[in-house]
Amino acid sequence: MTPSSSGTTGASSQGSARNYAHDALDEAQDKLHELRHSVDPVVEKLAGNAQKLARQSMDMANQARQKAQDSLSRYADATTKYVADQPVRSVLIAAAVGAAVALLVSSARNHKRY
């Protein structure tokens, strides 16, 4: 083997290694593109499902809020009607509830001191 022929063989093997590396890189890029194209629809579907679930949750929360408001309104109307129909009894009930709350608060304060 002459020095010039061994240099040519070394350059040739370096070129082959570069070609092999470029080919491997190109193949990896192609696989990555394929993977990205197969993953994108799945991600979009998951995002769509998450948005749908969020909308449904908001709708359910709004329905619950509306039901609570309706119930509160009915109870407020019933209480107003009861007070209008039974003013003396309403004042006596309110006084009794106020006294009971005052006793509970007083008892809790005295209990904490000891």
Side-chain angles (χ1 to χ4, degrees):
M1 225 190 266
T2 63
S4 64
S5 68
S6 68
T8 306
T9 306
S12 174
S13 64
Q14 282 181 348
S16 295
R18 281 192 193 128
N19 287 341
Y20 178 75
H22 285 298
D23 291 345
L25 186 58
D26 288 341
E27 188 176 333
Q29 259 184 331
D30 291 343
K31 293 290 183 186
L32 182 61
H33 287 300
E34 288 177 26
L35 182 62
R36 186 176 293 154
H37 289 301
S38 66
V39 168
D40 282 346
V42 173
V43 170
E44 287 179 20
K45 185 176 180 181
L46 288 173
N49 287 345
Q51 287 176 342
K52 182 179 176 183
L53 188 61
R55 270 189 244 108
Q56 288 174 343
S57 297
M58 288 176 60
D59 290 344
M60 289 175 62
N62 283 333
Q63 289 173 356
R65 180 187 52 83
Q66 187 61 45
K67 284 182 181 180
Q69 282 179 337
D70 291 345
S71 294
L72 184 61
S73 179
R74 276 197 318 269
Y75 292 132
D77 290 345
T79 302
T80 301
K81 184 178 180 328
Y82 183 83
V83 169
D85 292 345
Q86 305 282 334
V88 174
R89 184 180 277 179
S90 298
V91 169
L92 292 174
I93 291 172
V97 170
V101 169
L103 283 172
L104 286 173
V105 169
S106 175
S107 175
R109 283 186 182 168
N110 288 337
H111 184 66
K112 284 184 181 180
R113 287 182 188 164
Y114 296 110

